[in-house]
């Protein structure tokens, strides 16, 4: 265990952060998701630790904590980017509709596949296993779509954020069905949602009004600590805690919209905007670090051998095929013909892993192969990679053709102008 000494761990953590930064730069040039590189790095470290005989290390508790904090930071980071304007109402509602219908349809088809092809699988358990596999990964999508045009980039930010939140709500709604005594049904779920929204708005207004008056320079991590506390307490109260984070991000990013009329006199906009600006920076930095270690540790915990199982490959390919089939239909209906590369930007990632390990013991099926999870995550990430590379080449080619036409037109017009001047 000497290999896991304090200084070796510090060296390892530092090298991983540096490599993650380099992966981000490489991702921008190649469109290969940095997350995929991090998972591969984790797999490599797994074999390296085995070679050094470091012993068995239980990474799952760390993975769970990193996943929860990473999820909070990613949703907060996305919410801080969202501007609520009247002209953006239609794109937001459209993205929400696609995310909701895509989630339900993908989970339904995936549940049928799991139910019919995995022994001992019940339909109730199939839905619980299918839900994580049906949620888009904002952790992968948001950093990967920064190079797309404004409308397409915003669509993916909205869609992946809504998919995260609604997917988590759906998962815990299904887990509530396992215990009829605690299950409030659709009415109880709706009441829970309304209560969460009310608490979120009250907390958001309270946090902004209080923190704008704090003069200390050391208050941003205090703010993050308050948000983490609200999230954890919300979970203890069986609320949809991620909505608290989303609404706080929306309120502080759109303060002029939420502080209108009499409320505007209580807002010191310059001070509050300064908090927003610094929070934006620290959230992005924290999300980067947490996302880095989550996916590296996930790579350390996965079993590569399960990928070569024929049954795992068959089931995974059917699920992946259903994901893109459903997505194609939805995008054609809601968006139209221009659905590239949006069609193929549907990776699974952080939340898929996090919810998979949150499946209650009474719903777990021993015959379910975790390799299905890994296969779907890697498969959808690779498909997105190839689509982004193709789209980048297509855009570059179109730009060159447009420039050549422009230059040709200029050359052709010059003699005409000369004749006219004569």
């Amino acid at each position: 265990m000497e290999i896991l000494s304090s200084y070796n761990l510090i060296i390892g953590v530092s090298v991983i952060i540096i490599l993650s930064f380099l992966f981000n730069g490489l991702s921008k040039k190649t469109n290969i998701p940095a997350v995929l590189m991090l998972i591969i790095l984790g797999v490599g470290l797994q074999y390296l630790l085995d070679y050094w005989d470091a012993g068995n290390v239980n990474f799952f508790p760390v993975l769970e904590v990193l996943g929860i904090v990473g999820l909070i930071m990613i949703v907060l980071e996305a919410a801080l980017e969202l501007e609520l304007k009247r002209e953006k109402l239609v794109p937001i509602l459209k993205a929400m509709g696609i995310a909701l219908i895509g989630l339900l349809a993908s989970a339904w088809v995936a549940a049928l596949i799991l139910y019919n092809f995995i022994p001992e699988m019940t339909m109730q358990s199939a839905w619980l296993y299918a839900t994580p596999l049906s949620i888009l990964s904002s952790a992968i999508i948001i950093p990967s779509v920064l190079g797309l045009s404004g409308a397409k980039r915003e669509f993916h930010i909205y869609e992946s954020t809504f998919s995260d939140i609604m997917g988590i709500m759906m998962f815990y709604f299904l887990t509530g069905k396992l215990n009829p005594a605690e299950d409030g049904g659709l009415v109880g779920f709706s009441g829970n949602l309304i209560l969460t929204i009310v608490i979120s708005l009250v907390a958001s207004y309270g946090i902004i009004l209080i923190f704008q008056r704090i003069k200390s320079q050391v208050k941003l991590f205090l703010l993050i600590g308050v948000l983490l506390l609200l999230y954890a307490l919300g979970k203890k109260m069986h609320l949809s805690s991620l909505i608290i984070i989303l609404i706080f991000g929306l309120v502080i990013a759109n303060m002029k919209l939420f502080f209108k009329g009499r409320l505007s006199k209580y807002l010191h906009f310059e001070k509050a905007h300064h908090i927003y600006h610094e929070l934006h920076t620290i959230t992005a930095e924290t999300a980067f670090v947490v996302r880095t270690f989550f996916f590296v540790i996930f790579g350390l915990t996965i079993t590569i051998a399960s990928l070569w199982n024929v049954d795992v490959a068959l089931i995974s390919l059917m699920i992946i095929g259903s994901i893109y089939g459903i997505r194609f239909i939805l995008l054609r209906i809601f968006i139209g013909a221009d659905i590239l590369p949006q069609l193929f930007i549907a990776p699974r990632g952080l939340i898929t892993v996090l919810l998979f390990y949150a499946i209650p013991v009474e719903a777990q099926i021993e015959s379910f192969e975790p390799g299905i999870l890994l296969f779907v995550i890697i498969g959808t990430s690779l498909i997105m990679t190839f689509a982004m590379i193709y789209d980048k080449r297509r855009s570059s080619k179109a730009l060159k053709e447009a420039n050549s036409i422009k230059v040709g037109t200029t050359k052709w017009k010059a003699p005409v102008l000369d004749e006219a001047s004569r």
Side-chain angles (χ1 to χ4, degrees):
M1 292 297 289
E2 181 61 29
I3 192 68
L4 296 178
S5 65
S6 302
Y7 290 110
N8 285 343
L9 284 173
I10 291 172
I11 292 169
V13 166
S14 304
V15 170
I16 288 170
I17 291 174
I18 293 168
L19 286 175
S20 181
F21 178 80
L22 295 176
F23 289 164
N24 275 355
L26 187 60
S27 177
K28 290 177 182 177
K29 292 183 178 180
T30 63
N31 283 318
I32 299 172
V35 167
L36 201 57
M37 301 182 210
L38 292 171
I39 293 174
I40 294 170
L41 175 61
V43 172
L45 288 174
Q46 181 184 148
Y47 285 105
L48 204 60
L49 290 175
D50 288 340
Y51 175 77
W52 283 331
D53 194 23
N56 293 321
V57 182
N58 183 13
F59 288 106
F60 288 113
V62 179
L63 191 68
E64 184 179 10
V65 173
L66 282 174
I68 293 169
V69 176
L71 178 61
I72 293 169
M73 291 296 106
I74 289 163
V75 170
L76 180 58
E77 183 185 11
L80 292 172
E81 294 280 356
L82 301 180
E83 290 183 78
L84 298 179
K85 294 180 179 179
R86 185 172 295 177
E87 60 268 24
K88 293 188 178 182
L89 182 61
V90 173
I92 290 173
L93 292 176
K94 191 180 289 186
M96 184 185 292
I98 293 171
L100 178 59
I101 298 170
L103 172 68
L104 294 172
S106 297
W108 176 60
V109 175
L112 288 175
I113 293 169
L114 296 175
Y115 178 72
N116 286 287
F117 287 89
I118 295 180
E120 304 173 13
M121 180 68 75
T122 64
M123 184 52 77
Q124 190 175 32
S125 292
W127 271 92
L128 277 169
Y129 278 95
T131 300
L133 292 169
S134 305
I135 301 172
L136 297 171
S137 174
S138 59
I140 298 177
I141 290 174
I142 291 173
S144 301
V145 299
L146 297 178
L148 296 180
S149 63
K152 291 184 177 181
R153 182 177 65 251
E154 284 189 349
F155 166 75
H156 286 298
I157 291 174
Y158 294 142
E159 185 198 22
S160 60
T161 303
F162 287 132
S163 182
D164 284 354
I165 293 168
M166 292 186 292
I168 291 169
M169 290 168 62
M170 177 175 161
F171 179 83
Y172 285 107
F173 175 74
L174 292 171
T175 56
K177 294 288 182 182
L178 295 172
N179 189 350
E182 295 181 5
D183 179 28
L186 191 59
V187 175
F189 180 75
S190 301
N192 177 291
L193 180 60
I194 293 169
L195 178 62
T196 304
I197 292 172
V198 172
I199 291 174
S200 302
L201 287 170
V202 172
S204 298
Y205 278 108
I207 290 170
I208 292 172
L209 293 174
I210 291 170
F211 272 79
Q212 69 180 3
R213 297 180 180 276
I214 297 177
K215 296 180 180 180
S216 172
Q217 295 296 317
V218 187
K219 59 184 175 184
L220 288 176
F221 273 104
L222 172 63
L223 176 55
I224 289 174
V226 171
L227 292 175
L228 291 174
L229 178 63
L230 287 172
Y231 180 90
L233 289 174
K235 279 294 177 188
K236 290 287 186 181
M237 296 166 63
H238 305 290
L239 300 176
S240 302
S241 293
L242 209 57
I243 291 179
I244 298 173
I245 306 301
L246 176 68
I247 288 179
F248 171 76
L250 290 173
V251 171
I252 197 169
N254 301 272
M255 286 179 285
K256 289 185 176 179
L257 178 65
F258 285 93
F259 285 86
K260 281 186 172 182
R262 292 182 180 180
L263 285 173
S264 61
K265 66 181 181 181
Y266 298 107
L267 179 69
H268 299 288
F269 182 74
E270 289 185 5
K271 293 180 180 178
H273 185 72
H274 182 67
I275 295 172
Y276 161 77
H277 179 72
E278 290 189 333
L279 182 63
H280 201 294
T281 302
I282 202 167
T283 300
E285 297 279 357
T286 307
F288 163 76
V289 173
V290 173
R291 185 165 49 225
T292 293
F293 287 103
F294 177 86
F295 284 107
V296 169
I297 292 175
F298 174 62
L300 279 165
T301 59
I302 60 181
T303 307
I304 294 294
S306 62
L307 288 176
W308 314 122
N309 185 309
V310 177
D311 291 334
V312 166
L314 178 64
I315 293 169
S316 301
L317 288 172
M318 284 192 291
I319 291 172
I320 291 172
S322 70
I323 288 170
Y324 294 107
I326 291 165
R327 189 165 179 78
F328 174 79
I329 295 169
L330 286 174
L331 291 180
R332 287 287 293 180
I333 293 171
F334 283 93
I335 293 178
D338 184 18
I339 58 172
L340 292 177
Q342 302 97 299
L343 171 61
F344 300 107
I345 300 179
R348 273 53 180 163
L350 189 149
I351 295 180
T352 301
V353 178
L354 188 62
L355 294 185
F356 174 75
Y357 290 117
I359 294 173
V361 176
E362 58 267 33
Q364 291 177 11
I365 304 297
E366 288 186 13
S367 54
F368 180 86
E369 276 285 354
I372 295 171
L373 191 78
L374 178 61
F375 202 109
V376 172
I377 289 173
I378 292 178
T380 52
S381 295
L382 287 174
I383 289 170
M384 185 186 82
T385 299
F386 295 134
M388 294 288 284
I389 292 171
Y390 170 76
D391 183 69
K392 188 175 183 179
R393 288 178 179 174
R394 186 183 65 161
S395 300
S396 299
K397 186 178 179 182
L399 187 62
K400 286 180 181 177
E401 288 178 356
N403 288 334
S404 65
I405 291 171
K406 186 177 179 181
V407 171
T409 304
T410 304
K411 287 181 178 177
W412 179 79
K413 282 184 177 180
V416 177
L417 290 171
D418 289 342
E419 286 292 332
S421 64
R422 289 175 188 174

